[in-house]
Amino acid sequence: MHGGVIYERGEILEPVNGTKVEDVGKRDLPKIEALVQEYCSHFGADAKEIMNHKFKKIVPISKRPYAKLFSH
């Protein structure tokens, strides 16, 4: 993973090397709600039901995950 964030609902079993799992904060919730609303508009799901679950976020550990590969 290079930058960005992945929001997951439910249990994250094995985070990928170079990433870490964190709890979502108050600043994440509006982003998640907007994404859930968009998803529901396409697929007809219940936004309240989805938002009723606990979310986590997966973020990269480093801002330069490939630095060791390309620097000498």
Side-chain angles (χ1 to χ4, degrees), residues 31-47:
K31 295 174 192 174
I32 294 170
E33 288 174 355
L35 292 167
V36 168
Q37 289 294 337
E38 182 180 352
Y39 173 87
C40 290
S41 73
H42 292 291
F43 299 105
D46 183 1

Side-chain angles (χ1 to χ4, degrees), residues 5-20:
V5 62
I6 299 171
Y7 295 108
E8 287 278 339
R9 180 175 66 132
E11 184 179 352
I12 301 170
L13 300 176
E14 294 286 331
V16 176
N17 286 342
T19 66
K20 62 182 176 178

